[in-house]
Amino acid sequence: MRVNIAQIKEMKHKGEKIAMLTAYDYSTAKIVDEAGLPLILVGDSLGMVVLGYETPIPVTLDVMIHHTKAVVRGTSQSLIVGDLPFMTYHVSTEDALRNAARFIQEAGCQSVKLEGGVTVAEKVRRIVQCGIPVMGHIGLTPQSVNQLGGWRVQGKTPEAASQLLKDAIALDEAGAFAVVLEQVPTSLATLISKKISIPTIGIGAGNGCDGQVLVINDVFGLSDRVPKLAKQYTNVGESMRRAVTEYYNDVKSGAFPTDKNSFTMDESILAGMK
Ligand code: KIV
């Protein structure tokens, strides 16, 4: 049985920390699911870490649905959150609803995430009213990186801090089941976490959040560079590089394949052909 949003909300009230990771494909999602993480985010960060763009902006809903389907196929326990990409929920509430519904129906994820606070609260309310769980995302919102003027910490002025709190409250009141706080000073993120009833999931938002999320490529050592907000837990990239070089050398030298990797047949059949 998959984790549901009631269980995620309950974790905050029990004081149980919530761990979420991103995944973008079947085999990685399977690993995260088997490790028991309650939440997997198919983030539009895939635009950067899988597809090589500089921002998530070029990612389309069709691309997100394609990857989310693979993640859903690889999992049976984690609650899957599909990240609504740039401009799929901005134009109108009808648009937001239609695209959230496509995500759920076509990709098979159990919830969607969208960026913004007060300005998207009405859309969140409508999507939730239609039976689709929504995760909010405030602070550094990567789809607005051009408007924000770069990848910087948010909420550092009195006005910005108070706006972030208002955004979090608006999402809570609109019925979101959780909210991501990205690149927010620890003390502000802690205050927000205490003020709202739904779990906060931090990334670069300190230890006072109810949960944490990381981009899995950073965890695995597969990113071009590990950002300050992340922790690299292993160096899969290095193992992959070593394996590729070894394979290349084996093919060149003839060390691969051996009889172990090859197939036999009745040689008398070939005798006639020679
Ligand atoms: O797209 C993503 O991976 C995200 C996380 C960083 C929260 O939005």
Side-chain angles (χ1 to χ4, degrees):
M1 274 267 286
R2 282 195 195 270
V3 172
N4 60 47
I5 61 163
Q7 290 169 308
I8 298 293
K9 290 197 265 191
E10 186 58 19
M11 286 174 82
K12 174 175 180 126
H13 301 296
K14 287 191 188 150
E16 269 178 55
K17 291 278 189 183
I18 304 161
M20 176 161 84
L21 277 173
T22 66
Y24 316 101
D25 65 84
Y26 169 85
S27 16
T28 313
K30 197 159 184 277
I31 292 169
V32 180
D33 187 72
E34 284 170 0
L37 274 74
L39 285 167
I40 295 180
L41 170 66
V42 189
D44 62 359
S45 50
L46 85 83
M48 295 172 286
V49 301
V50 177
L51 305 177
Y53 294 119
E54 277 184 14
T55 73
I57 292 169
V59 177
T60 63
L61 185 56
D62 285 338
V63 167
M64 289 303 299
I65 288 174
H66 175 74
H67 283 267
T68 305
K69 278 179 175 174
V71 167
V72 170
R73 286 193 291 268
T75 56
S76 59
Q77 299 176 77
S78 308
L79 176 72
I80 311 299
V81 186
D83 208 2
L84 279 165
F86 183 66
M87 278 302 143
T88 57
Y89 53 94
H90 302 81
V91 178
S92 67
T93 302
E94 287 68 31
D95 222 25
L97 200 48
R98 200 171 302 114
N99 289 327
R102 264 198 76 194
F103 227 151
I104 298 280
Q105 266 189 323
E106 293 179 35
C109 53
Q110 293 78 45
S111 63
V112 297
K113 175 169 87 58
L114 51 79
E115 297 182 2
V118 172
T119 55
V120 294
E122 245 348 277
K123 288 168 182 150
V124 170
R125 190 184 312 279
R126 193 71 194 105
I127 298 171
V128 170
Q129 274 170 354
C130 291
I132 301 174
V134 176
M135 176 179 280
H137 183 161
I138 58 174
L140 188 278
T141 45
Q143 292 169 15
S144 305
V145 66
N146 295 321
Q147 178 66 24
L148 296 173
W151 306 88
R152 32 177 90 116
V153 179
Q154 303 294 306
K156 290 181 91 167
T157 65
E159 300 75 33
S162 133
Q163 184 57 52
L164 274 185
L165 178 57
K166 283 185 197 150
D167 286 335
I169 292 171
L171 289 167
D172 188 358
E173 288 175 354
F177 75 94
V179 56
V180 169
L181 303 182
E182 179 163 354
Q183 295 206 41
V184 173
T186 303
S187 47
L188 175 58
T190 306
L191 176 81
I192 292 173
S193 305
K194 287 190 179 137
K195 290 261 185 194
I196 63 174
S197 72
I198 54 173
T200 57
I201 313 286
I203 173 160
N207 210 8
C209 293
D210 303 303
Q212 299 293 324
V213 56
L214 283 178
V215 168
I216 201 152
N217 293 52
D218 294 339
V219 170
F220 283 170
L222 283 171
S223 310
D224 294 340
R225 149 196 102 77
V226 184
K228 174 178 160 71
L229 57 78
K231 179 171 170 186
Q232 182 182 316
Y233 283 82
T234 183
N235 199 339
V236 174
E238 198 38 52
S239 305
M240 287 167 93
R241 256 184 295 279
R242 262 204 311 274
V244 169
T245 306
E246 232 176 276
Y247 164 74
Y248 183 33
N249 291 338
D250 277 0
V251 171
K252 283 195 297 183
S253 69
F256 178 85
T258 64
D259 287 348
K260 239 173 78 185
N261 319 107
S262 309
F263 305 92
T264 55
M265 67 180 283
D266 181 349
E267 295 298 321
S268 65
I269 294 171
L270 285 189
M273 292 166 66
K274 286 175 188 162

